[in-house]
Amino acid sequence: MVAYSKKILFTTTTLISLLLISCELTKKDKTCYFGGEIINPNSKYMYLCKDNVIIDTIELDKNNRFFQKYDTLSEGMYTFRHEPEYQYIYFAPGDSLMIRLNTNDFDNSLAFCGRGDQKNNFLIELFLKNEDVKNSSFEIYDKDFNKFSKSIETSYEKNKTFYERRKKEIDWSDDFDLYAKNMLDMPYLAQKEMYPRIHQKRTGDDVCELLPTDYYSFRKNIDFNNEKLMTYSPFLKYLTSMLENTTQKCEDEHQNVLESNINKLKVADTIFTNKKIKNAILNNIAFMYLLEDQNAANNQSFIKEYLKFSSDKIKQKDIIKICESTQMLSTGKYLKDVSLIDKESKKYTNSEIFKRNTILFFWVSDAKSHMEMAHKRANELKAKHPNWDFVAINIDKSTKKWKESLSKLNCNYILELHSNNFDDIKDKWVITKIQRTMLIENGGKIKNGFVSLFDANFESYLK
């Protein structure tokens, strides 16, 4: 009932707009409406996406509200994004959905109102239930098999009861049920996949031989080739757990990265018959591997195997390009110059930046929590390691936006630079996510091109 109780927070203006819309609609009207209010917005834009592709860019008005009409919106699952956060929204013909959320607590504050709201409120409620289970279940992987099974079965049955009750009350479509059922099942099945590996890593006990013979029988009932699930987070997270589990030998937790990822390619080739899905999974495996292992010989062996299974000629070129770029970031190589400026628009070259051992980290204005945490972490490390310089590189598209965010930061001991050519820094430094950190020695020689400020062992890399 959490999402329903939050509906009373909608503003009078929003409710009036909704009522006017509802009066105009008939049951046969296929027009869809999407509107709402964003409290504490991160930017002036909201994005409506389908299968990770932006189909509409929506600008908030001066009151941080928005309202859009769609005459040709097909039924299905969409996402709305207000960077860096996103959530799912399901549209059926004639739906008029209004949302209200506060970016300070994006998921917990989200509520839907209007025609089609019940199924969407169900999704966010089930999502939050799954998050509660995940956040309170870190220790269950330490338990023996019987206690582990009892714990996850109890949580699953509670969610299943909730799912079945709401399914009967709302009487939703079979298409929506595909997503609802996956939201219910996949987090639970992911826990089952993760248990053997995590239990062994934490306790040293190998439980693989102790598992019931039918432990993985649920895999036979999973539709691995449904394109509708290809970008659906609960399904993708399960796939990640399953691939890790099926390619990491129980008896060898130190199996090398190359062997493990080649095995992932082989498993993907076996279980995915849909070419579109198979290529997407293969590309993701390749992309993640190349950011993890920068050994030139390993990379060549991996690419050779990858090309055997992939039929996506365009993505093959991208993967090969990433492989070549990561090789240029190997330990001992010199970092290439990219286009960087400071807040006074002065251009910086590597020779000006790397006069001492330097820690490079990256940020964007829309990811506020990461921006603040990364700078806080850098300030803490600077106090403990004064022999290292710190350089923060912003990759916002807008220089103005970067400067506005910069004025709110405490960064007296950090050189703040802006990349005004994202394609250049993406290609030369393989910057595809802000969690990357690079350790650069005096003169620009790479010490470690792929690490995180928040790595538990980070300080050991500074020795």
Side-chain angles (χ1 to χ4, degrees):
M1 297 300 292
V2 176
Y4 293 106
S5 64
K6 289 188 290 187
K7 281 198 239 178
I8 61 173
L9 297 175
F10 275 73
T11 62
T12 302
T13 303
T14 304
L15 284 172
I16 291 174
S17 299
L18 180 60
L19 289 171
L20 290 173
I21 295 165
S22 299
C23 289
E24 294 173 0
L25 291 172
T26 68
K27 290 184 178 180
K28 294 182 179 180
D29 194 341
K30 295 184 179 181
T31 302
C32 290
Y33 295 86
F34 180 39
E37 179 182 8
I38 311 297
I39 300 170
N40 298 315
N42 295 322
S43 72
K44 295 298 290 183
Y45 297 97
M46 170 79 77
Y47 304 98
L48 183 63
C49 307
K50 178 68 172 172
D51 298 326
N52 290 339
V53 176
I54 296 174
I55 62 173
D56 193 17
T57 300
I58 308 167
E59 186 172 4
L60 304 183
D61 65 19
K62 62 181 181 180
N63 297 312
N64 299 324
R65 296 171 185 158
F66 66 98
F67 180 74
Q68 294 290 101
K69 176 183 177 181
Y70 300 100
D71 293 322
T72 58
L73 203 63
S74 59
E75 180 169 1
M77 187 64 76
Y78 295 76
T79 56
F80 61 89
R81 295 180 177 272
H82 185 67
E83 302 294 357
E85 305 282 0
Y86 78 95
Q87 242 329 324
Y88 289 98
I89 183 169
Y90 189 93
F91 279 101
D95 279 352
S96 53
L97 289 164
M98 308 293 283
I99 65 169
R100 190 177 191 272
L101 62 85
N102 188 325
T103 62
N104 291 338
D105 196 7
F106 193 96
D107 297 320
N108 282 291
S109 68
L110 173 62
F112 294 87
C113 190
R115 182 175 292 172
D117 66 337
Q118 291 190 67
K119 55 183 179 287
N120 282 289
N121 278 319
F122 162 80
L123 274 185
I124 189 64
E125 285 187 73
L126 184 54
F127 168 81
L128 292 174
K129 288 177 184 292
N130 287 333
E131 288 296 292
D132 286 342
V133 170
K134 183 179 74 174
N135 293 334
S136 62
S137 64
F138 293 114
E139 295 181 358
I140 66 170
Y141 300 102
D142 298 338
K143 298 179 179 180
D144 63 42
F145 175 71
N146 289 331
K147 291 180 179 178
F148 165 77
S149 294
K150 183 178 179 180
S151 178
I152 66 169
E153 291 294 337
T154 298
S155 297
Y156 176 71
E157 287 302 320
K158 288 181 180 178
N159 283 349
K160 185 178 180 182
T161 298
F162 171 67
Y163 157 81
E164 291 175 341
R165 175 172 59 83
R166 295 301 288 149
K167 180 181 180 181
K168 183 177 180 180
E169 292 170 349
I170 300 172
D171 190 27
W172 54 57
S173 67
D174 290 341
D175 186 70
F176 178 80
D177 193 56
L178 172 69
Y179 301 102
K181 193 67 163 61
N182 270 267
M183 181 75 80
L184 169 70
D185 290 342
M186 291 303 142
Y188 159 70
L189 298 181
Q191 287 181 309
K192 296 192 72 169
E193 296 282 3
M194 291 186 288
Y195 175 67
R197 291 182 298 106
I198 296 179
H199 183 80
Q200 183 181 24
K201 185 175 182 179
R202 290 186 179 179
T203 68
D205 296 332
D206 182 356
V207 297
C208 290
E209 298 299 326
L210 303 177
L211 299 176
T213 55
D214 64 346
Y215 183 71
Y216 296 111
S217 61
F218 60 82
R219 291 176 182 166
K220 295 183 292 185
N221 299 318
I222 297 175
D223 183 358
F224 288 105
N225 293 284
N226 191 327
E227 288 190 18
K228 291 182 177 181
L229 299 175
M230 197 169 77
T231 58
Y232 193 46
S233 180
F235 183 70
L236 294 178
K237 288 179 180 178
Y238 166 76
L239 283 183
T240 299
S241 300
M242 184 273 292
L243 287 171
E244 289 288 345
N245 191 23
T246 54
T247 57
Q248 180 68 62
K249 301 173 184 176
C250 262
E251 67 273 13
D252 182 12
E253 67 169 315
H254 301 295
Q255 181 182 16
N256 71 64
V257 175
L258 173 63
E259 181 184 354
S260 176
N261 280 275
I262 287 178
N263 285 340
K264 288 180 185 178
L265 295 176
K266 293 177 179 178
V267 171
D269 182 62
T270 300
I271 66 175
F272 299 106
T273 56
N274 181 298
K275 283 189 177 182
K276 184 177 180 180
I277 295 177
K278 180 188 291 188
N279 283 325
I281 299 300
L282 292 173
N283 293 334
N284 186 62
I285 293 169
F287 176 74
M288 298 306 295
Y289 164 73
L290 292 171
L291 294 185
E292 184 178 3
D293 185 1
Q294 283 75 58
N295 180 285
N298 285 355
N299 286 182
Q300 291 306 311
S301 297
F302 177 84
I303 291 295
K304 183 178 179 181
E305 292 297 317
Y306 162 77
L307 292 174
K308 288 181 183 178
F309 303 120
S310 170
S311 60
D312 187 341
K313 300 300 181 182
I314 295 176
K315 285 297 182 181
Q316 285 177 8
K317 293 179 181 178
D318 291 341
I319 294 297
I320 291 172
K321 187 175 181 179
I322 290 173
C323 180
E324 292 170 349
S325 296
T326 56
Q327 290 308 302
M328 296 306 298
L329 296 172
S330 300
T331 299
K333 297 284 182 68
Y334 282 86
L335 196 63
K336 289 186 176 181
D337 275 298
V338 296
S339 180
L340 297 171
I341 59 172
D342 66 11
K343 61 182 180 181
E344 306 300 332
S345 298
K346 175 188 173 183
K347 295 181 180 180
Y348 274 74
T349 62
N350 286 359
S351 61
E352 294 172 292
I353 299 171
F354 306 120
K355 295 179 179 179
R356 298 202 309 162
N357 288 347
T358 303
I359 296 171
L360 288 178
F361 66 96
F362 303 84
W363 62 280
V364 292
S365 297
D366 287 340
K368 286 185 179 179
S369 59
H370 175 268
M371 172 183 75
E372 292 168 358
M373 289 174 63
H375 282 83
K376 180 181 178 182
R377 175 70 169 150
N379 281 327
E380 292 171 349
L381 289 168
K382 179 65 178 177
K384 295 172 67 175
H385 302 276
N387 55 318
W388 283 83
D389 285 339
F390 286 76
V391 177
I393 298 180
N394 174 274
I395 53 177
D396 285 338
K397 291 182 180 180
S398 166
T399 303
K400 179 181 177 182
K401 189 174 184 178
W402 164 58
K403 290 182 179 179
E404 289 175 351
S405 298
L406 200 59
S407 65
K408 303 172 186 176
L409 289 171
N410 177 19
C411 48
N412 296 331
Y413 304 105
I414 298 172
L415 174 60
E416 294 282 351
L417 300 176
H418 175 65
S419 168
N420 53 3
N421 186 336
F422 180 71
D423 288 336
D424 188 41
I425 198 169
K426 182 183 70 173
D427 292 341
K428 293 179 180 177
W429 291 7
V430 198
I431 303 303
T432 57
K433 57 180 184 177
I434 56 175
Q435 285 76 17
R436 272 277 300 287
T437 300
M438 304 171 74
L439 306 182
I440 310 299
E441 296 178 345
N442 178 13
K445 183 184 290 187
I446 298 169
K447 179 179 176 69
N448 191 328
F450 298 85
V451 69
S452 168
L453 268 182
F454 305 103
D455 187 327
N457 299 314
F458 183 80
E459 290 186 70
S460 67
Y461 305 140
L462 306 183
K463 298 177 181 178

